[in-house]
């Protein structure tokens, strides 16, 4: 016995097809990028590149401490355990790292520390 499609089924299928076509028409078209199609340095992507460069200027201990706190979500105490240093050292490394990144992003040079 063959199933009959009623008028309601046809309407539902028509509406589903219209919705699908509308959805497809709203999607952006994908195009491939060539080497010459790089975005301007003024866009939001530039901020990510600046932060990456700023991170590269940090000494390894400061960068590691900062990334463990910011990206991994570790507490200062956990970072101290991972790095094998007192919690005060972690706090100092984080403060210096943040100050240096802020100075880099602001376009200023960080103040040099005096060593006695």
């Amino acid at each position: 016995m063959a199933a009959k499609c009623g008028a309601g089924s046809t309407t539902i299928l028509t509406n589903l097809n219209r919705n699908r076509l509308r959805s497809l028409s709203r999607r952006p078209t994908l195009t491939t990028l060539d080497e010459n199609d790089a975005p301007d340095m003024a866009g939001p992507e530039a901020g990510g590149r600046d932060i990456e460069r700023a991170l590269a200027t940090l000494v390894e201990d400061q960068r590691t401490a900062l990334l463990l706190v910011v990206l991994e979500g570790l507490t200062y105490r956990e970072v101290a355990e991972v790095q094998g240093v007192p919690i005060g050292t972690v706090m100092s490394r984080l403060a210096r790292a943040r100050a240096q990144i802020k100075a880099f992003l602001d376009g200023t040079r960080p103040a040099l520390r005096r060593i006695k």
Side-chain angles (χ1 to χ4, degrees):
M1 180 161 75
K4 291 186 177 181
C5 288
S9 298
T10 306
T11 304
I12 291 171
L13 290 174
T14 302
N15 289 337
L16 286 173
N17 189 43
R18 282 185 190 147
N19 291 341
R20 184 182 65 81
L21 292 174
R22 272 192 220 117
S23 175
L24 290 173
S25 70
R26 284 187 223 128
R27 288 186 185 168
T29 56
L30 300 177
T31 57
T32 58
L33 292 177
D34 294 330
E35 287 182 27
N36 298 331
D37 294 340
D40 292 336
M41 292 300 287
E45 302 85 15
R49 286 188 289 264
D50 287 345
I51 291 173
E52 187 176 346
R53 281 190 223 119
L55 283 171
T57 66
L58 298 175
V59 294
E60 184 66 28
D61 291 336
Q62 291 175 359
R63 182 175 42 254
T64 301
L66 185 66
L67 293 176
L68 287 172
V69 169
V70 175
L71 292 181
E72 298 294 329
L74 270 59
T75 65
Y76 289 8
R77 187 170 310 285
E78 291 169 331
V79 173
E81 290 173 11
V82 168
Q83 291 189 323
V85 296
I87 195 168
T89 303
V90 171
M91 294 169 68
S92 175
R93 289 176 180 175
L94 290 170
R96 288 188 183 130
R98 288 175 176 144
Q100 188 168 337
I101 287 177
K102 183 180 181 325
F104 183 92
L105 295 177
D106 290 344
T108 60
R109 299 184 82 196
L112 295 176
R113 227 175 15 134
R114 286 187 187 219
I115 300 176
K116 295 182 182 182

